[in-house]
Amino acid sequence: MLIEKVVVRKMKMDLKFPFQTSFGTEQERLFLITEIHSGNQIGYGECVVSSNPYYSEETVSTAFSIIKEFLLPLILGKDIQHPDEANKMFSRIRRNNMAKSAIEGALWDLYAKTQHKPLAEVIGGQKSEITVGVSIGIQETKEDLLEKVEELLKQGFKKIKIKIKPGKDIEYLRSVREKFGDIPVMADANSAYTLDDLELFKEMDSLNLMMFEQPLAHDDIIDHSILQNAVQTPICLDESIHSVEDARKAIELGSCKIINIKIGRVGGISEAIKIHNLCQENNIPVWCGGMLESGIGRAFNVAITSLPNFTIPGDTAPSARYWVKDIIKPEVTMDAEGHIQVPTTPGIGYEVDQEALDQYTLEIFEFTKESLLLSN
Ligand code: OSB
Ligand code: MG
C-alpha cells in the first residue's frame, strides 16, 4: 500500500443528549477523522479524543500535532505491507495512543479493502453478530435513572452500565436492582474513588453487579489489587490499561478480573488484539468500551468485538443512540434482541456518507510527503 496522501478532518458532532461522567459533561464531540489515500482506495480512521484532557491526557490539538509532526512523516510516501508495521514504527513515540490509533485504524481499513475482505475477518473475528450493552451517564435523580434503564432495557440492550460518582452510587444502584431485579448491570466510576472508600465497595458487593469499572485512580494498578482482594465483585480496568504490558502487570498483580478494551486508548487494533489474546490465555474476559464515537469509530468497535474473547456485551450502542444523523451508510443498527450484525463488505464495512462527513467537518487538512516537508 503506497501511502500517497493523508487527510485529517477536525470534526464537531452534537450528541442527542448531554453525557455526564464523574469527570465532566459532554454535549458535543470534537474529534478527528483520518483518511489514508492509496491508489483509488481510501482507508478511514477515527481519533477518539475529546476537546479536553479529562478522560486521558490527549486532546484534539495534541493528537493533531502528534499526527502531523511525528506519525505522518513515518508513513507518507512509504509502501506499507501490513498495518502491524504501524504498531512497530509508532512504538518509539511514547503514549499518544489515540493519535496513533487514528492512523493505524485507517491503515487497517485500507488493508482490508485492498484484500477485498471485511475488517472483522482480516483480524480473525469469528462472530457474525455481537451482543450490545449501553452506558448511561450520571442522572440528576434516581427517578431519571430508573426511567432511562427501563427505556434501554425495552430497546433490547443486554448490559446496562451506570456511571457513578460519590453521592450518586450505592443508592442509585440499589434502586435499579430493586426495580428491575436480576438484570445484567454494572457501574463505571471513572476513577472517582480511593481506598478510603473500601467500606462502600464492600457494601456494594451485596448488589451483585457484573463489575466495578475503574473505581480507583487512572494510573493505578496497586490499589486496585488491594480492592480486588477485598471484594467479590470483579474489577474491570479501563483507564489504567494502555498496552499489553499494562494488561500483563495488572493480571499478574490481581488488579482486575475483566478488561475493557478501547482501541484508541491502547494505540490501535494490533495492540488491542494482543491484549485480547493475553486475556484469553489468562481467563480474563474482555469487552469493547466506547468513546461516544461516530459511525467510523463504531465500525472498528463492532469489528474487534467479533473476536472470541469479547464475551461480555460492550458499550457499542447503535448510531441512533448518539446522533440525529451519523456519518456512515447504513448507520449501525441493533435488533430487538440487542444484536448488531457484523458487516460482510470490505474494510470497516460501512460506507462513509460524504455529505454528512462534510457537514460535520470544521477544518480539513491534506498532507503529502512534499507538503509535510514544507510545513513541519
Ligand atoms: O469510561 O467508558 C468510559 C464515554 C467517554 C469517556 C469514557 C467512557 C465513556 C462511556 C460511553 O462510558 C461509552 C459509549 O457509549 O461510547
Ligand atoms: Mg470507563
Side-chain angles (χ1 to χ4, degrees), residues 55 161 163 188 190 213-214 238-239 260 262:
Y55 167 81
K161 160 165 145 181
K163 293 283 189 184
D188 185 3
N190 289 108
E213 181 178 351
Q214 196 71 33
D238 173 353
E239 283 90 330
N260 161 339
K262 289 181 183 168

Side-chain angles (χ1 to χ4, degrees), residues 301-314:
N301 292 348
V302 171
I304 198 114
T305 305
S306 71
L307 296 179
N309 194 38
F310 281 84
T311 52
I312 298 171

Side-chain angles (χ1 to χ4, degrees), residues 258-261 275-276 279 284-288 309-312:
I258 299 171
I259 289 180
N260 161 339
I261 294 180
I275 297 173
H276 165 273
C279 287
I284 302 281
V286 302
W287 54 277
C288 183
N309 194 38
F310 281 84
T311 52
I312 298 171

Side-chain angles (χ1 to χ4, degrees), residues 42-256:
I42 304 177
Y44 290 92
E46 176 163 344
C47 185
V48 299
V49 279
S50 312
S51 51
N52 52 56
Y54 304 157
Y55 167 81
S56 88
E57 67 278 21
E58 293 182 86
T59 68
V60 171
S61 36
T62 70
F64 185 82
S65 71
I66 289 289
I67 288 172
K68 174 171 179 272
E69 292 172 43
F70 297 101
L71 304 180
L72 296 189
L74 292 173
I75 65 160
L76 271 171
K78 300 262 167 67
D79 192 8
I80 291 179
Q81 304 305 314
H82 192 277
D84 279 342
E85 289 172 35
N87 182 276
K88 293 198 187 75
M89 281 192 287
F90 296 169
S91 66
R92 184 179 183 193
I93 297 155
R94 300 259 157 98
R95 295 281 188 116
N96 291 288
N97 286 345
M98 293 176 180
K100 290 174 182 174
S101 174
I103 299 299
E104 195 251 22
L107 286 172
W108 274 105
D109 181 33
L110 183 64
Y111 176 73
K113 282 172 175 163
T114 61
Q115 304 281 309
H116 310 290
K117 284 181 184 161
L119 178 63
E121 183 186 326
V122 166
I123 63 175
Q126 297 177 1
K127 302 174 208 163
S128 58
E129 59 179 26
I130 63 164
T131 310
V132 181
V134 66
S135 174
I136 306 179
I138 294 168
Q139 301 295 310
E140 267 321 302
T141 66
K142 269 190 251 178
E143 292 65 39
D144 293 338
L145 175 62
L146 294 174
E147 209 178 288
K148 289 273 165 353
V149 172
E150 178 157 20
E151 182 190 325
L152 293 163
L153 282 171
K154 265 198 206 127
Q155 289 177 24
F157 288 102
K158 287 290 181 279
K159 182 189 76 177
I160 303 288
K161 160 165 145 181
I162 296 168
K163 293 283 189 184
I164 57 168
K165 68 176 185 181
K168 291 193 169 179
D169 42 42
I170 188 161
E171 290 313 322
Y172 276 59
L173 295 166
R174 202 193 312 277
S175 71
V176 170
R177 261 288 173 257
E178 278 168 3
K179 174 139 193 217
F180 301 103
D182 193 24
I183 59 162
V185 59
M186 59 168 289
D188 185 3
N190 289 108
S191 300
Y193 299 86
T194 69
L195 282 182
D196 290 344
D197 302 302
L198 194 64
E199 288 310 312
L200 172 68
F201 283 96
K202 284 185 180 167
E203 251 184 274
M204 288 199 284
D205 241 355
S206 66
L207 294 171
N208 260 315
L209 301 177
M210 296 170 81
M211 68 196 92
F212 300 133
E213 181 178 351
Q214 196 71 33
L216 309 179
H218 71 94
D219 54 357
D220 168 78
I221 53 172
I222 307 279
D223 287 357
H224 278 103
S225 84
I226 295 170
L227 180 61
Q228 183 66 92
N229 269 314
V231 296
Q232 293 294 316
T233 308
I235 288 176
C236 168
L237 290 177
D238 173 353
E239 283 90 330
S240 295
I241 306 296
H242 300 272
S243 64
V244 67
E245 270 299 285
D246 285 350
R248 178 183 67 75
K249 291 166 189 168
I251 294 168
E252 275 182 31
L253 276 177
S255 315
C256 64

Side-chain angles (χ1 to χ4, degrees), residues 42-44 105 108-110 112-113 116-122 295-303 327-333 340-353:
I42 304 177
Y44 290 92
W108 274 105
D109 181 33
L110 183 64
K113 282 172 175 163
H116 310 290
K117 284 181 184 161
L119 178 63
E121 183 186 326
V122 166
I296 292 178
R298 203 152 293 286
F300 286 94
N301 292 348
V302 171
I327 56 175
I328 52 166
K329 289 185 293 198
E331 298 198 344
V332 177
T333 54
I340 287 174
Q341 298 303 311
V342 178
T344 52
T345 50
I348 55 173
Y350 301 86
E351 231 179 279
V352 168
D353 182 333

